[in-house]
Amino acid sequence: MSDDHRDLPHLLRDALVAADFTFESVSGLLGPLAHDALARNETVPGLRRTRGGSPLETLVRLFLLQVPVAASAAEAALPGLVDRLASRGVLTHSIGEVAARLDVRPYASERLADGEVVTDHFWVVSDLTPGLDGTPARVGSDHVLGISPASTSLAQLTLREDVGSALDLGTGCGVQALHLARHAGAVVATDVNARALDLARFNAALNDLDDRIEVRDGSFFEPVAGERFDLIATNPPFVISPATGERLVYRDSGLPGDRVVEDIVRAAPGHLNPGGWCQVLANWVIAAGQPWDERLGSWLDADTDAFVVQREVLDPAAYVELWLKDSGHHPSTGNTDVAEYHRRYDTWLSWLEEQGVEGIGFGWIDLRRRDEDDTRAGGVHELLSWPYEVEQPIAPAVAAWADAARVQVDADSTLTLRADVRQETQGAAGAEDPETIVLRQQTGMRRARQVDTVLAAVVGACDGELPVGVILDAVSQLLDLDEAATREDTLPLLAEMVREGFLLPA
């Protein structure tokens, strides 16, 4: 960034503050109908709500609705900055009109800090939103994505405890780095896209976080060779596609299949401090003839705790359709004719079939390097297929899983049933015993588990007062069961229920 532009992010921030260009104010101005329409890339309701000419309305029309505004209105909203922002590439200035060349977007996110909910406010500069109102959606190879469902999902997954150091691997425009800088003493953000690095630096300064965020050029862990961090967050370019010579850097790694995700998972433990986390949002191959969890499990370090959650599975055809639409290659975008679309579709689908890809999984990979004083024989690995609704942000549930992974359960353990767990029973009306008993969490992962009468009775008696061995013996006597056999059968199940979050150590 030249000296002439070095103070521009700070001056822009002052103008955005003066115009009250915040997430709450924009949402209030647009109202639910227009706000939801804009989320679907439709601008007409928003245009109807922003005709008053105030600085806030001007900025919404300029940056979010992506329509030209009168030069006088732009000057009023961005006093003294229009020409400088045009020189920087943020705006384009013609006679009488100003239009946006980049998206400037207010953003807010909640996190827990010392038990209190804190709302962090940001502004994020990125490339313009493609495909508004059905316009052609083709993006360039160095396109820099802004706020997206993937970035918000990773933000909700990432733990928010205060840490000394953090790494945003493949930062893009810097969304995760901005989040990390609110609770990390120092943040390193890496990428190979020169435009992304430039915007990440601009966004760090725009949010007055440039003293905490260091942006480095380089591929994956290369810029941080030999360094360790307390927290790594990454949404790598994970799209599984053939090498056709066309690469969108924000989504295509250039590596075959899901190799980029495998490489990160294998390398990450070597870049973590004891007790440190790496949290990955990713796609992975579901190979024909091999369970997905067996394949991903082979990537995991034996001494590292790992919580892997598969949230969604797409068949190869649906996957190809999704990403061809994302890149603007669907005929409906106006960029591609039907024959060209069919050629691309056939090439990609044929390649997936040749690779033996049965499906593509999407989800989270959470890795935690064990503390130095952790004496367990190895790490705990749980790979869970869970496409059901979860509580957001999900980060506290991930942290609770790691705490539970370190708990050893034996007959002397005292446990308590988590307060939000509810019991559901099903059976014929009037029957003495239910046919099925299900315990269901109301918060966090919202897991459900079917239990038998013995386990339900034991869990129901876990109030933190009596050791589970005493409870097991009492239930055995009540149901006329062998005490030793009941302990042998039920203690491992109780350990599972602790790991799954149904039971907590007292």
Side-chain angles (χ1 to χ4, degrees):
M1 188 182 301
S2 67
D3 291 340
D4 185 49
H5 292 311
R6 197 167 299 278
D7 63 342
L8 185 57
H10 304 101
L11 296 173
L12 175 59
R13 180 176 69 248
D14 292 342
L16 299 179
V17 170
D20 198 23
F21 190 57
T22 64
F23 180 83
E24 289 81 1
S25 294
V26 169
S27 297
L29 172 65
L30 292 177
L33 188 146
H35 193 272
D36 291 345
L38 185 56
R40 300 189 300 271
N41 281 2
E42 298 291 341
T43 67
V44 171
L47 292 170
R48 289 167 55 87
R49 296 276 296 185
T50 55
R51 294 171 173 169
S54 70
L56 177 59
E57 290 168 302
T58 296
L59 294 176
V60 169
R61 293 174 77 90
L62 181 63
F63 291 123
L64 306 186
L65 304 177
Q66 296 178 195
V67 295
V69 301
S72 58
E75 284 288 355
L78 301 164
L81 295 179
V82 170
D83 288 338
R84 295 187 64 181
L85 289 169
S87 176
R88 181 64 173 79
V90 179
L91 301 175
T92 180
H93 190 186
S94 59
I95 298 176
E97 280 190 337
V98 173
R101 293 178 61 190
L102 293 174
D103 184 303
V104 180
R105 187 169 298 261
Y107 171 57
S109 179
E110 292 184 345
R111 61 182 170 92
L112 284 176
D114 298 325
E116 301 290 331
V117 176
V118 174
T119 301
D120 293 324
H121 297 271
F122 308 101
W123 293 283
V124 177
V125 180
S126 66
D127 277 328
L128 294 174
T129 303
L132 284 184
D133 298 320
T135 55
R138 186 73 61 84
V139 297
S141 62
D142 61 352
H143 180 80
V144 181
L145 201 63
I147 304 298
S148 69
S151 64
T152 54
S153 293
L154 180 56
Q156 291 172 321
L157 173 66
T158 304
L159 276 70
R160 298 299 172 198
E161 288 87 356
D162 288 344
V163 294
S165 60
L167 171 63
D168 178 7
L169 198 71
T171 188
C173 70
V175 174
Q176 305 307 322
L178 296 177
H179 280 286
L180 293 168
R182 297 296 178 126
H183 62 98
V187 179
V188 175
T190 69
D191 210 293
V192 295
N193 183 347
R195 293 190 66 249
L197 294 168
D198 182 49
L199 290 178
R201 292 187 181 97
F202 190 95
N203 283 325
L206 178 63
N207 290 279
D208 202 22
L209 293 170
D210 42 338
D211 60 335
R212 287 197 176 192
I213 299 174
E214 180 187 356
V215 179
R216 299 184 192 174
D217 183 7
S219 179
F220 301 111
F221 289 110
E222 289 177 3
V224 294
E227 296 181 54
R228 295 180 184 270
F229 300 88
D230 299 314
L231 178 59
I232 300 171
T234 180
N235 174 23
F238 54 61
V239 174
I240 299 164
S241 60
T244 59
E246 296 176 303
R247 180 187 172 197
L248 302 180
V249 178
Y250 76 91
R251 73 177 206 187
D252 301 314
S253 70
L255 296 174
D258 53 15
R259 177 69 178 275
V260 62
V261 179
E262 179 181 354
D263 286 355
I264 288 172
V265 169
R266 291 186 182 278
H271 289 276
L272 291 174
N273 289 321
W277 284 86
C278 176
Q279 300 187 270
V280 189
L281 194 74
N283 278 178
W284 46 77
V285 166
I286 300 175
Q290 184 179 23
W292 76 273
D293 51 346
E294 178 184 296
R295 185 168 179 275
L296 265 66
S298 69
W299 302 351
L300 303 175
D301 181 79
D303 290 324
T304 300
D305 290 334
F307 185 39
V308 182
V309 182
Q310 183 166 268
R311 297 285 292 148
E312 182 180 9
V313 176
L314 289 181
D315 64 63
Y319 189 78
V320 172
E321 293 161 16
L322 170 69
W323 291 110
L324 284 176
K325 289 176 183 177
D326 173 80
S327 61
H329 287 111
H330 193 276
S332 63
T333 66
N335 289 320
T336 307
D337 61 28
V338 173
E340 174 65 8
Y341 173 66
H342 285 176
R343 184 191 69 77
R344 291 176 179 273
Y345 195 148
D346 182 66
T347 298
W348 199 334
L349 193 59
S350 297
W351 179 80
L352 289 172
E353 290 175 353
E354 291 167 2
Q355 301 299 310
V357 177
E358 190 173 79
I360 294 92
F362 171 82
W364 322 319
I365 302 175
D366 301 288
L367 309 173
R368 183 185 183 276
R369 186 179 177 190
R370 295 193 298 156
D371 295 308
E372 292 178 329
D373 59 355
D374 192 335
T375 59
R376 289 175 294 154
V380 173
H381 295 171
E382 182 177 2
L383 293 91
L384 172 70
S385 183
W386 194 253
Y388 311 108
E389 183 180 357
V390 300
E391 182 184 30
Q392 294 291 1
I394 195 61
V398 176
W401 176 91
D403 291 339
R406 297 191 288 275
V407 176
Q408 303 296 312
V409 176
D410 57 30
D412 295 325
S413 301
T414 53
L415 304 174
T416 181
L417 184 64
R418 206 170 84 183
D420 69 310
V421 174
R422 297 292 180 266
Q423 178 174 299
E424 303 171 359
T425 59
Q426 290 184 337
E432 183 175 347
D433 296 315
E435 295 175 5
T436 60
I437 304 172
V438 174
L439 301 181
R440 191 179 303 276
Q441 301 168 358
Q442 306 302 303
T443 62
M445 287 292 296
R446 293 177 174 155
R447 298 205 212 203
R449 182 181 180 118
Q450 186 171 334
V451 297
D452 61 17
T453 304
V454 173
L455 190 54
V458 173
V459 168
C462 286
D463 59 3
E465 296 294 330
L466 295 175
V468 293
V470 174
I471 296 173
L472 284 166
D473 292 345
V475 170
S476 297
Q477 294 168 15
L478 182 66
L479 298 178
D480 196 23
L481 300 173
D482 180 81
E483 293 180 7
T486 301
R487 285 194 178 206
E488 182 179 356
D489 292 341
T490 309
L491 277 172
L493 300 178
L494 294 174
E496 289 179 10
M497 297 190 73
V498 169
R499 287 198 297 272
E500 294 172 1
F502 290 94
L503 293 169
L504 305 173

